Amino acid sequence: MSARLLLLEDDPAIARTVAYALERDGLTVTHSLLVHDARQQLQSARFDLLVLDVGLPDGSGLDLLRDVRNTAPTAALPVLMLSAHGEEIDRVLGLELGADDYLTKPFSPRELAARVKALLRRAGHGNGNSHPAAPAATAAALFHDDETGQRISLRGQALPLTRREYRLLSHLLRGAGRIHSRDALLAAAWGDDSESTDRTVDTHIKTLRAKLREVDPAREYISTHRGMGYCLDI
């Protein structure tokens, strides 16, 4: 069965280009111009993935993302955000709200299609498991994230995390079971720090793995997906 996508984009030219690229890959695209229309679509139909622009005439795609993550039927839906060039704060906020990935305009339709397909594969589309809720529930049973104190415990034991390590692991926990690109992890943990690179993420993931292994040597919690990023596997 073809995956169903909801595209929220107020620029008709961009929407047509994106829809064409995705439909060529056999995906079914429903397009909404306004946040209000997208909300109605989510109430009346089932979707496997959302592509949301940030700036819309009647609001923000970030508002819809917040609603999606706080509503049980849609909480586990993969979400890819589209943001205007240079709007770093929008990308950071989107990732904090639970976006799985983002693209900055202008972007290549082929890259967008590739990212969409990667998110769908990770979500298990085609295996009868398009909306998995179990990984997040299992993560909550193993990990405790004290956001106020910026501390995380694994199996009841506090992890000795630096500030960046805390932000990385907290972001991975909120999207347990989903692949997070290095760019997404950079934005979540470092924000607009221009000195940070993909290599910075790799180094911190390495130290995170070591600290998790000290508490639970029998399991490897963070997996690498070549060319895509990292995932917290439960």
Side-chain angles (χ1 to χ4, degrees):
M1 180 178 178
S2 173
R4 291 175 51 86
L5 282 74
L6 176 62
L7 169 64
L8 175 58
E9 170 58 62
D10 68 322
D11 186 321
I14 293 177
R16 284 194 299 270
T17 301
V18 169
Y20 177 74
L22 296 173
E23 288 170 349
R24 283 190 63 185
D25 287 334
L27 308 176
T28 301
V29 179
T30 298
H31 174 223
S32 292
L33 288 164
L34 301 173
V35 175
H36 174 73
D37 295 337
R39 284 197 173 100
Q40 290 187 328
Q41 290 287 350
L42 284 169
Q43 291 172 0
S44 62
R46 181 191 65 80
F47 295 95
D48 300 295
L49 185 141
L50 310 180
V51 178
L52 308 178
D53 190 17
V54 173
L56 285 306
D58 66 333
S60 170
L62 295 173
D63 296 328
L64 184 59
L65 172 62
R66 185 182 290 107
D67 294 345
V68 165
R69 289 293 178 246
N70 291 329
T71 305
T74 59
L77 276 179
V79 177
L80 187 151
M81 300 296 300
L82 305 177
S83 64
H85 178 69
E87 296 297 329
E88 184 76 25
I89 186 63
D90 287 339
R91 297 198 298 273
V92 173
L93 182 56
L95 293 166
E96 289 177 347
L97 291 174
D100 299 282
D101 202 355
Y102 70 84
L103 274 177
T104 301
K105 297 178 181 179
F107 54 81
S108 161
R110 291 182 63 184
E111 181 181 2
L112 183 144
R115 294 197 184 201
V116 162
K117 287 188 289 184
L119 289 174
L120 286 171
R121 283 196 301 270
R122 188 61 195 177
H125 182 77
N127 298 324
N129 186 30
S130 296
H131 308 289
T138 308
L142 292 170
F143 291 88
H144 174 68
D145 186 353
D146 175 8
E147 296 184 13
T148 302
Q150 294 200 340
R151 295 183 294 266
I152 297 178
S153 299
L154 170 59
R155 297 186 180 277
Q157 183 172 331
L159 296 165
L161 304 177
T162 65
R163 180 164 58 99
R164 303 297 189 188
E165 289 169 354
Y166 167 78
R167 291 180 179 177
L168 276 176
L169 185 54
S170 182
H171 184 74
L172 288 168
L173 279 169
R174 288 196 296 272
R178 300 196 294 267
I179 299 174
H180 302 263
S181 69
R182 287 175 173 82
D183 284 346
L185 293 172
L186 267 175
W190 281 269
D192 58 359
D193 183 356
S194 60
E195 299 299 318
S196 301
T197 65
D198 286 359
R199 181 59 181 166
T200 306
V201 174
D202 295 340
T203 300
H204 281 70
I205 289 292
K206 181 179 180 180
T207 61
L208 262 181
R209 282 173 169 154
K211 291 178 180 182
L212 292 169
R213 203 175 293 121
E214 288 178 3
V215 176
D216 191 354
R219 298 184 65 170
E220 191 65 69
Y221 286 94
I222 302 176
S223 61
T224 302
H225 295 262
R226 187 176 299 276
M228 297 168 61
Y230 295 101
C231 175
L232 184 71
D233 293 320
I234 305 297

